[in-house]
Amino acid sequence: YRIDIYLPDYHVAVEVDGPQHTATGVAIRDMELERLYALPVFHITRENIDSRNLQGKLRFFVNKHARKAVERWLTARDRMPWL
């Protein structure tokens, strides 16, 4: 899988979903990224790109997952293709 943005300090991904993304495909991909790499994914969609609260939602997502970033990283680091 390729991801748009990887934040290594938080071990999370950020995806910008365009018209080529389908709900089913995104859900399957997210499950695989979580299963294989313990990698939670934040999605920026057409609906929320203009949201005044997008920055707050992203900050909440990152902070929520920051607590266990090292633990998730250690469980998945040997399987990470981008390293």
Side-chain angles (χ1 to χ4, degrees), residues 28-46:
I28 291 169
R29 184 171 187 259
D30 286 358
M31 286 188 306
E32 285 293 295
L33 288 171
E34 181 70 35
R35 184 180 67 81
L36 294 171
Y37 309 116
L39 192 63
V41 180
F42 180 84
H43 291 273
I44 298 174
T45 63
R46 184 181 326 181

Side-chain angles (χ1 to χ4, degrees), residues 6-12 34 37-40 60-77 80:
Y6 174 63
L7 303 174
D9 290 346
Y10 304 98
H11 190 62
V12 297
E34 181 70 35
Y37 309 116
L39 192 63
F60 177 81
F61 173 83
V62 167
N63 289 335
K64 173 183 168 187
H65 294 289
R67 291 185 292 270
K68 294 193 175 193
V70 172
E71 181 182 323
R72 288 192 328 275
W73 163 252
L74 291 174
T75 64
R77 70 177 172 193
M80 301 242 179

Side-chain angles (χ1 to χ4, degrees), residues 9-25:
D9 290 346
Y10 304 98
H11 190 62
V12 297
V14 177
E15 281 291 302
V16 180
D17 294 344
Q20 75 277 15
H21 293 87
T22 64
T24 303

Side-chain angles (χ1 to χ4, degrees), residues 42 44 48-63:
F42 180 84
I44 298 174
N48 71 12
I49 193 76
D50 294 326
S51 169
R52 292 178 186 229
N53 199 22
L54 179 60
Q55 184 178 10
K57 289 178 180 179
L58 179 56
R59 187 179 299 118
F60 177 81
F61 173 83
V62 167
N63 289 335

